[in-house]
Amino acid sequence: MKDTSPEAELRDQVDVLAEFWLEGNPALDVRTKTLALRLRRASHHFERGLRQELAANDIEMWEAEVLLALRRGTDHCRSAGELLRESQVTSGAITNRVARLEQRGWVRRDIDPADRRHVLVTLTPEGLARADQLLATKTQSEQALLGRLDQDAQDRLNNDLRALLIALEGPAGPDDEPVLHRRPDLPS
């Protein structure tokens, strides 16, 4: 079925690429190829915008990810192992990241009183303020990009992307904790 919406009459760079692909291979089904490319391009715009905002605030993406993960934790605290699983880096990398955040005064490390083999990472008051600032910056950046779409378009995209993520990751369970990054090859 051909899309007859006013937006379909406008072409984007992906349409130009699809025409090129079809010239060389008229039998090529470009539907999934163009969808994947549009998702990657949109993601790139979000990432670039956020990185620019973070750089203006003297913070790197990984710092934002760890601070916001801690912000979501009970009492703004998580174990080093939880941060490791969520960030999908090596244990050495998470140790280094936590140490750097500790040097900036944004987190503190404590021995888990329930299991002295584990380390708990907690936001300091300064870290909590920084995490809240980051959340506001991130939200503002997202609103600047997505605000170019009307609310109906945003709702349609939200519903369609939810369906995609459920197809890729499965539905969320009633007790699932918020996880922004999940690789299928790592335990949940």
Side-chain angles (χ1 to χ4, degrees):
M1 175 174 18
K2 184 172 170 106
D3 187 353
T4 58
S5 67
E7 295 86 7
E9 294 180 21
L10 299 174
R11 291 168 20 106
D12 65 5
Q13 290 299 314
V14 175
D15 291 319
V16 174
L17 283 170
E19 287 175 6
F20 173 78
W21 292 325
L22 287 171
E23 282 178 20
N25 187 353
L28 181 66
D29 176 9
V30 294
R31 177 178 284 123
T32 55
K33 185 176 281 303
T34 56
L35 177 58
L37 188 52
R38 283 189 173 102
L39 286 170
R40 282 194 303 271
R41 289 176 68 98
S43 177
H44 176 73
H45 285 284
F46 281 104
E47 180 102 3
R48 185 177 60 209
L50 182 56
R51 283 187 188 278
Q52 288 171 347
E53 293 291 330
L54 293 176
N57 289 291
D58 187 33
I59 194 157
E60 294 182 46
M61 185 70 83
W62 69 263
E63 291 172 309
E65 290 171 352
V66 173
L67 290 174
L68 292 175
L70 290 167
R71 178 72 176 89
R72 291 188 307 273
T74 304
D75 296 326
H76 312 302
C77 177
R78 292 209 170 188
S79 71
E82 288 172 319
L83 291 174
L84 173 70
R85 284 187 295 281
E86 187 163 334
S87 65
Q88 302 175 29
V89 296
T90 65
S91 59
I94 202 67
T95 299
N96 186 19
R97 289 176 179 191
V98 169
R100 289 172 64 187
L101 292 172
E102 191 174 38
Q103 288 171 349
R104 292 186 91 165
W106 295 342
V107 303
R108 74 170 194 272
R109 289 185 275 191
D110 299 299
I111 301 297
D112 184 345
D115 186 343
R116 299 191 54 77
R117 296 172 296 171
H118 296 136
V119 173
L120 298 176
V121 183
T122 307
L123 286 175
T124 63
E126 296 83 11
L128 179 58
R130 191 63 154 171
D132 288 342
Q133 176 193 16
L134 289 169
L135 186 58
T137 297
K138 190 172 184 292
T139 301
Q140 188 175 38
S141 179
E142 292 161 350
Q143 288 171 338
L145 288 167
L146 291 173
R148 299 173 189 184
L149 295 173
D150 65 42
Q151 288 183 349
D152 288 340
Q154 289 182 37
D155 289 342
R156 284 190 310 272
L157 273 171
N158 233 339
N159 290 330
D160 290 343
L161 291 171
R162 179 184 303 109
L164 173 63
L165 289 174
I166 288 171
L168 295 173
E169 301 174 345
D175 297 326
D176 281 359
E177 291 185 30
V179 175
L180 293 181
H181 308 288
R182 179 177 287 152
R183 283 185 12 200
D185 58 327
L186 292 178
S188 297

